[in-house]
Amino acid sequence: MAPLSSGPSNYRSLRTQPGDSVVALNPNAFDDPGLRDQDILLSKDSNVGECAIVDGDNWKHHTFSGGIVRLNPSFDRYYLFSFLKHELFRTQILAKIPRGATIKHAKGLWLDCLIPFPNQGDADRVVRYVSVIMQAIVDKEKEIKAKHDRMTQSIEQELFNNQDPTATFTYHEPTIHEIRKLGRLDASMYAQDFKSKYFRVTNYRHGYTAYKDLGFSVGRGQNLQISSIGKSVYSEIEKPNFYRLMLPKHITEYGTVSRYQWLGNKRDLATLSKGDVVFGGEATFRCIVICDSAQAVPTISNIHAIILRSTSIPMYRKVFIGAWLRFLGRWGFSRAMAVGGQGGSLAIKYFQQLIFPDFPSEKQVEIAELYHNPSPPPGTSLTLTNFVDWHRQWNTNLSIWELDHEMKILQQLLADVQERIIQGQEVRVPL
C-alpha cells in the first residue's frame, strides 16, 4: 500500500467534511440518544477504530458510552462505513495515538484520519458503486442473523411445546451413586439449571438419542505442530497450492467462518469434506457444517477442532446436528459440561454425554433449509440502480451457508475496488 502522501490528492480528512457526531452522555444519567437505523457508531477509546452500523429502529432505552461517537456524515454513509471498516483507517488512527497506553484514547484524533475518494471523471458513480456493494454486504449479514434466529426459535418451539405432560421436573441434590455413575466433579452438571435443561431434552415426547447412537465417527483436525508435519508457511492472503486454514476460533455463532488463513506444507494433510460437522470445543462451542465440496480449495482445520463424520447420515440431518450443537452452546448446556478455565473445553470423551432430541424428519428438514438451501439468483439484470434491491430479493431465498458465500464474494469485490481507489487508479464500474 503506497504512503498517503505519494498518491494523487484524493484523500479527505474527516475533520474537513460536513456533518457531525454525537458523544453519549454519562450512562449514569441516562438520556435516550434516539438510535436510528443505519446510524454509524465508532469507538474512539479502548478498542479504538472499531465501528458498527445500527440495524433497525428497535433501540429504545439503549445508549452508548462516552467512548463511542455516532457519526452523521453529509456524504454517502455506506461509502464512509466501507472505509471505516478498512485496514487503512485503523492503521491511521492507531498511528496517531501515543504508544504504551494500557487503554487507548483517540479523543478527537479520529477526525484527522483520511478517507480516500476516487479521482476520475465519473467519481460520483464509483462512490455509488462502493456504497451499494457495502450496503449489500450489510444486508446479507443481517439476513444471516435473522435466519439463525429463526433456527433457534424453531428448535426452542419444537422442544418446549412438545413435552410429555405426565412428567414434571424436580431438582434433587446429587447422590453418591449419581456421581459415581457420571464419574465427574469437574463440571456444572449437577446444578439445577443444567438438570432442568437435561430434563427438557429427555422429556421430549418423540424421544432422544445419545451421541454414541447417532452413527458418527469422531476425530480431531490436523495436528499442525512441527513435530507432526514439519515446517509450514503461513499467510493471511490466498496463495497458490496453499491449504485454506479454518480455525475453530474463527467459527461464528451463526455457523460461518469470519476469516481464513492459508498454510503451505509439502505433506498431504487431512482435509475437510462435504458433510463434515466441525465443532469448536473450546470456550466458544460453535459449529459449522461443510455444505459443499472442499476439494476445489483444500481446507484443513487444527487439532482444536472436533470433526464428526458419517457416510450414511443424510445431509439434512448433519445440518440439523450442527444446528443443535450451536443451540446447546447458546443455551449454556455445553459450557456446563466443559472442564477447565477460560470458558472451558468440551473434549471428545465428554461427547458421549451429549443428547439429541429426535425431532420429526420434516422439522429437521425445515431447520436445515435455513442453513443450507441453494437458490438461483433473480432473473432480472443487475444494474447499479437496482443492485441493493436485487440482492435483497435473492437474500429471501438464500440460506446461511449460501448467504455467507455470496457475502464473501462481495467483500472481495469491495476490497479490490477500494485498493484501486487507495492507489489512485481508475475504477471501472461494470454495471
Side-chain angles (χ1 to χ4, degrees):
M1 184 179 295
L4 298 185
S5 59
S6 67
S9 57
N10 59 345
Y11 290 86
R12 306 176 192 172
S13 168
L14 285 171
R15 190 180 297 278
T16 63
Q17 298 304 300
D20 60 6
S21 65
V22 176
V23 180
L25 298 176
N26 186 338
N28 292 328
F30 178 79
D31 184 17
D32 191 340
L35 285 172
R36 299 183 300 273
D37 187 36
Q38 303 182 43
D39 277 351
I40 297 174
L41 302 179
L42 173 70
S43 174
K44 65 181 184 66
D45 294 336
S46 186
N47 199 12
V48 174
E50 289 295 327
C51 64
I53 195 163
V54 175
D55 175 15
D57 291 314
N58 299 320
W59 294 92
K60 291 183 178 179
H61 311 304
H62 287 74
T63 190
F64 44 93
S65 74
I68 302 291
V69 292
R70 177 174 61 184
L71 308 185
N72 295 308
S74 62
F75 60 99
D76 192 296
R77 68 178 53 245
Y78 280 98
Y79 184 88
L80 171 63
F81 186 61
S82 74
F83 277 99
L84 292 179
K85 300 290 286 186
H86 195 278
E87 180 186 0
L88 175 67
F89 176 76
R90 189 171 179 86
T91 300
Q92 289 184 79
I93 194 170
L94 290 179
K96 296 177 182 297
I97 300 173
R99 296 184 181 183
T102 303
I103 299 179
K104 299 182 183 300
H105 300 280
K107 300 181 181 179
L109 295 174
W110 59 274
L111 287 167
D112 295 320
C113 293
L114 303 178
I115 301 296
F117 281 82
N119 191 22
Q120 58 190 75
D122 60 346
D124 289 344
R125 183 173 174 82
V126 176
V127 169
R128 177 61 179 160
Y129 186 43
V130 171
S131 174
V132 296
I133 295 173
M134 187 70 238
Q135 192 167 352
I137 291 171
V138 171
D139 284 345
K140 290 190 188 299
E141 288 184 344
K142 291 164 62 175
E143 192 67 23
I144 287 172
K145 181 179 182 297
K147 284 191 165 63
H148 184 262
D149 288 344
R150 284 173 57 188
M151 290 178 68
T152 302
Q153 291 167 6
S154 184
I155 291 173
E156 287 179 341
Q157 290 171 1
E158 177 64 26
L159 181 65
F160 297 165
N161 296 340
N162 289 280
Q163 294 286 298
D164 180 358
T166 63
T168 56
F169 171 72
T170 303
Y171 176 71
H172 297 285
E173 297 288 344
T175 63
I176 295 295
H177 173 74
E178 181 183 359
I179 294 174
R180 284 176 175 170
K181 182 179 179 181
L182 190 59
R184 296 187 63 185
L185 283 173
D186 56 358
S188 302
M189 299 174 65
Y190 305 109
Q192 181 173 348
D193 179 71
F194 178 85
K195 285 192 170 185
S196 66
K197 291 172 181 175
Y198 192 91
F199 172 81
R200 288 266 194 178
V201 183
T202 57
N203 195 53
Y204 178 63
R205 68 184 182 96
H206 293 301
Y208 66 96
T209 300
Y211 164 76
K212 63 181 180 179
D213 299 320
L214 287 177
F216 282 105
S217 64
V218 60
R220 291 281 190 178
Q222 176 67 57
N223 186 342
L224 301 180
Q225 292 181 346
I226 294 178
S227 59
S228 177
I229 63 173
K231 291 184 178 180
S232 300
V233 178
Y234 289 85
S235 172
E236 296 298 321
I237 60 175
E238 183 175 359
K239 289 183 178 293
N241 302 318
F242 272 45
Y243 290 97
R244 185 170 65 177
L245 177 58
M246 183 186 74
L247 298 176
K249 67 181 180 180
H250 294 148
I251 299 175
T252 72
E253 62 182 300
Y254 310 117
T256 62
V257 181
S258 60
R259 61 184 283 252
Y260 292 104
Q261 292 175 287
W262 301 85
L263 179 144
N265 190 282
K266 63 182 180 180
R267 301 196 183 192
D268 292 330
L269 305 184
T271 57
L272 300 173
S273 301
K274 182 177 180 179
D276 285 354
V277 181
V278 184
F279 179 74
E282 297 187 5
T284 61
F285 311 114
R286 294 171 179 174
C287 184
I288 185 172
V289 182
I290 309 301
C291 292
D292 53 25
S293 176
Q295 301 308 312
V297 184
T299 304
I300 62 174
S301 192
N302 65 7
I303 200 169
H304 298 296
I306 298 174
I307 302 174
L308 313 181
R309 289 191 170 103
S310 173
T311 57
S312 59
I313 297 175
M315 189 66 184
Y316 77 85
R317 181 154 174 78
K318 294 177 182 178
V319 174
F320 168 73
I321 293 299
W324 177 252
L325 287 172
R326 286 193 299 277
F327 176 78
L328 291 183
R330 190 172 183 175
W331 206 22
F333 192 96
S334 301
R335 190 173 301 279
M337 296 177 61
V339 60
Q342 297 181 343
S345 173
L346 188 61
I348 288 178
K349 64 180 180 180
Y350 299 139
F351 257 59
Q352 304 303 327
Q353 297 162 342
L354 287 173
I355 51 178
F356 300 78
D358 291 332
F359 284 7
S361 296
E362 57 271 20
K363 175 58 69 171
Q364 292 189 36
V365 170
E366 175 189 316
I367 293 169
E369 286 183 346
L370 289 169
Y371 185 81
H372 173 50
N373 186 32
S375 178
T380 55
S381 299
L382 182 63
T383 67
L384 191 62
T385 302
N386 73 355
F387 194 96
V388 174
D389 289 336
W390 189 91
H391 276 280
R392 283 176 178 169
Q393 181 183 346
W394 196 12
N395 290 348
T396 59
N397 297 321
L398 290 177
S399 298
I400 291 174
W401 182 267
E402 288 73 27
L403 282 163
D404 182 63
H405 175 76
E406 296 302 324
M407 183 177 70
K408 284 181 168 57
I409 292 176
L410 289 175
Q411 288 172 333
Q412 185 59 56
L413 173 61
L414 177 63
D416 293 342
V417 173
Q418 287 179 312
E419 185 62 21
R420 295 191 67 85
I421 294 173
I422 290 169
Q423 299 294 348
Q425 300 172 347
E426 183 178 1
V427 176
R428 186 180 67 85
V429 179
L431 303 175

